[in-house]
Amino acid sequence: MVKASLSPASERTLYILGAGAIGSLWAAYGYQAGADIRLILRDQNTLGHYRQHGGIRLISANQTWLCPIPADCPESISTPIQHLLITTKAQQTLDALRCIKSHIATQAVMVLLQNGLGIVEQIRREFPRATVLQGSTTEACYQQNRFEYVHAGRGHTFIGSTENDQRTVLLELAESLSFPPLQLSVSDNIDAVLWRKLAINCVINPLTVIHRCRNGELLNSSERRAQIQQIVNEILALSSVLGRSEWVANLYELVTEVATTTAANRSSMLQDVEAGRDTEIDAITGYVCQLAEQHNTPAPMNKQLLDDIKRLPKVTRC
Ligand SMILES: NC(=O)c1ccc[n+]([C@@H]2O[C@H](COP(=O)([O-])OP(=O)(O)OC[C@H]3O[C@@H](n4cnc5c(N)ncnc54)[C@H](OP(=O)(O)O)[C@@H]3O)[C@@H](O)[C@H]2O)c1
């Protein structure tokens, strides 16, 4: 097993791949805390626009800061990447990593902080000697303008690993990525945290797209509540086959609670569909459908939602 450490000062730079809402949130608070951070932007053109803008602007609780965080694009990276926080959308992750593959140290430590499942296994296959840890956050952030982000809701972030001997790395990382007010904790069962989040997203994300509604409006009619129940039932059946029932025992109540506390929000999947962007459906509902098929467990409603959302039109970008 790879032993990784954050200690040597020369290897301390934290690179952030995916300088969108969540990546910029970490980068901006990290910058304010004096951490050694570099953003990795998509290309030279984006880097030029970023420099013209002067940095990331973070808006939080009526305060606004312009943070001139150092940034690179794949062509300009000049030191080996030892520590990498990955905050791309799930479907963007592998392409983005491949663009910087030659700069990633063989034994790099990566933290994958995103929704959806199935990506970490693909990263581990491409970077077999790297330490790849997973995280899940309930912080809420959205883009207001280019390179300008609003920290819209406070949450908590867990990181973890299924490998027991990575506890020391995890504790170091949790501390070094807890830029105030962001708080990270080590979870002893990150698989449970991620599965629960996936299950909730499987309900709220696709249904808000199908009904083109805000999260809270999912609870407005008996027809929508019945759809929630059906997705929940399919995930509970699959969880039972996988021995994960305990992780989602109160799933219907959890979904109702999230839909109520985030009632005014438009889910990220709805925002992506409305902007004609690719969605994270493959890593969310698609992941559940794949497991259901492997384990011969019926999941017709999830399958229907997967097909419906994948058929929606996308905007072609040059
Ligand atoms: N936002 C939230 O409040 C929130 C809360 C909890 C969890 N999450 C999860 O966190 C993850 C990130 O979400 P987000 O809202 O931060 O998404 P986002 O704003 O779309 O950020 C993703 C960023 O990745 C960049 N990217 C994509 N491909 C790249 C490449 N090849 N090279 C460099 N950069 C690349 C994108 O750049 P371009 O703009 O150039 O495409 C974009 O800036 C998702 O899994 C999401 O579900 C988000």
Side-chain angles (χ1 to χ4, degrees):
M1 187 58 239
V2 174
K3 290 280 173 221
S5 163
L6 288 180
S7 42
S10 60
E11 297 178 356
R12 279 216 162 141
T13 303
L14 172 69
Y15 283 87
I16 299 185
L17 178 64
I22 291 294
S24 296
L25 188 69
W26 252 266
Y29 284 126
Y31 178 83
Q32 287 171 30
D36 177 4
I37 287 180
R38 293 190 82 84
L39 299 171
I40 304 173
L41 303 177
R42 196 181 267 282
D43 50 31
Q44 286 284 4
N45 193 28
T46 311
L47 187 57
H49 289 304
Y50 173 77
R51 287 187 174 143
Q52 270 173 12
H53 190 267
I56 295 290
R57 187 176 297 282
L58 181 68
I59 298 121
S60 171
N62 298 326
Q63 281 187 291
T64 168
W65 302 271
L66 182 65
C67 306
I69 303 156
D72 281 304
C73 63
E75 297 74 31
S76 73
I77 297 170
S78 59
T79 52
I81 299 172
Q82 303 282 358
H83 299 108
L84 182 64
L85 177 63
I86 306 167
T87 50
T88 52
K89 291 270 174 73
Q91 71 279 6
Q92 303 166 328
T93 311
L94 283 183
D95 281 349
L97 276 171
R98 284 176 187 144
C99 291
I100 57 165
K101 191 168 183 173
S102 60
H103 300 290
I104 299 180
T106 320
Q107 299 194 351
V109 178
M110 306 187 202
V111 178
L112 184 63
L113 185 58
Q114 64 181 202
N115 285 331
L117 287 176
I119 305 297
V120 76
E121 293 80 3
Q122 298 177 47
I123 300 178
R124 286 183 179 137
R125 274 198 293 277
E126 291 224 12
F127 299 89
R129 296 183 62 203
T131 300
V132 190
L133 307 165
Q134 285 179 280
S136 177
T137 188
T138 53
E139 297 289 347
C141 187
Y142 66 87
Q143 183 174 31
Q144 181 168 270
N145 286 303
R146 198 157 194 211
F147 308 121
E148 299 190 0
Y149 295 92
V150 178
H151 189 187
R154 291 299 323 283
H156 198 89
T157 305
F158 287 99
I159 57 169
S161 169
T162 38
E163 314 281 345
N164 287 333
D165 63 347
Q166 287 175 345
R167 181 125 192 120
T168 313
V169 185
L170 277 168
L171 288 169
E172 276 186 23
L173 270 172
E175 197 183 327
S176 66
L177 292 175
S178 286
F179 307 125
L182 304 175
Q183 288 181 335
L184 266 90
S185 309
V186 174
S187 167
D188 292 331
N189 193 350
I190 193 69
D191 287 339
V193 173
L194 294 168
W195 185 250
R196 208 174 295 125
K197 186 87 186 279
L198 183 86
I200 295 168
N201 284 337
C202 261
V203 180
I204 290 184
N205 281 349
L207 283 183
T208 51
V209 171
I210 296 305
H211 296 295
R212 293 289 200 274
C213 70
R214 290 175 190 271
N215 294 357
E217 290 166 347
L218 287 179
L219 305 172
N220 279 0
S221 76
S222 54
E223 183 219 357
R224 291 178 186 183
R225 287 196 299 274
Q227 290 174 330
I228 293 175
Q229 188 67 65
Q230 191 180 338
I231 303 171
V232 164
N233 290 347
E234 290 178 9
I235 294 173
L236 290 181
L238 178 62
S239 302
S240 164
V241 170
L242 297 170
R244 300 177 184 176
S245 295
E246 258 183 53
W247 299 352
V248 282
N250 50 351
L251 184 56
Y252 188 90
E253 289 73 23
L254 279 176
V255 169
T256 310
E257 189 186 318
V258 172
T260 305
T261 53
T262 62
N265 293 7
R266 284 156 64 250
S267 74
S268 58
M269 195 172 284
L270 177 58
Q271 291 178 48
D272 284 340
V273 166
E274 286 180 345
R277 294 187 294 254
D278 258 344
T279 70
E280 293 187 297
I281 194 75
D282 278 328
I284 296 177
T285 306
Y287 184 82
V288 160
C289 289
Q290 215 181 331
L291 274 184
E293 203 173 310
Q294 278 167 18
H295 292 272
N296 245 336
T297 309
M301 177 91 179
N302 278 288
K303 182 79 182 68
Q304 185 65 54
L305 290 169
L306 177 65
D307 292 345
D308 289 350
I309 287 171
K310 284 177 81 74
R311 268 201 301 268
L312 293 172
K314 315 248 168 10
V315 172
T316 313
R317 291 191 174 83
C318 312

